[in-house]
Amino acid sequence: ADVRAPMAEHIESFVDAMTLAMGDDDRDKATFAVAAMIGAVIVSRVITDPKRSDEVLAVAKRELLALPGAKED
């Protein structure tokens, strides 16, 4: 079955929510943030060294929180 359409809808909803959370109308920044989060999770799960996997997530979190409008809840 084609999972792209439902996944695309979820990702677009995530981008919409991120755009609002970042406090501006710049969907490019929100799109980047969502792509970086998803990518970081995928990469962290592929890496077999648990320490390195945690580092990937920590770096992604740090860099994403450095974006203008980013905030940690």
Side-chain angles (χ1 to χ4, degrees):
D2 186 17
V3 298
R4 290 176 61 178
M7 286 302 297
E9 289 179 32
H10 287 292
I11 290 170
E12 288 300 330
S13 293
F14 194 7
V15 171
D16 292 342
M18 186 62 63
T19 301
L20 291 174
M22 293 177 79
D24 63 27
D25 291 329
D26 189 347
R27 283 185 59 84
D28 287 350
K29 288 178 188 169
T31 299
F32 168 75
V34 169
M37 285 186 270
I38 292 169
V41 169
I42 291 169
V43 170
S44 75
R45 296 303 180 253
V46 171
I47 293 175
T48 57
D49 177 357
K51 182 178 176 187
R52 183 66 181 126
S53 176
D54 290 346
E55 288 173 353
V56 167
L57 294 174
V59 167
K61 179 179 179 179
R62 181 187 71 227
E63 295 301 319
L64 286 165
L65 286 172
L67 293 174
K71 57 187 172 213
E72 186 171 13
D73 287 331

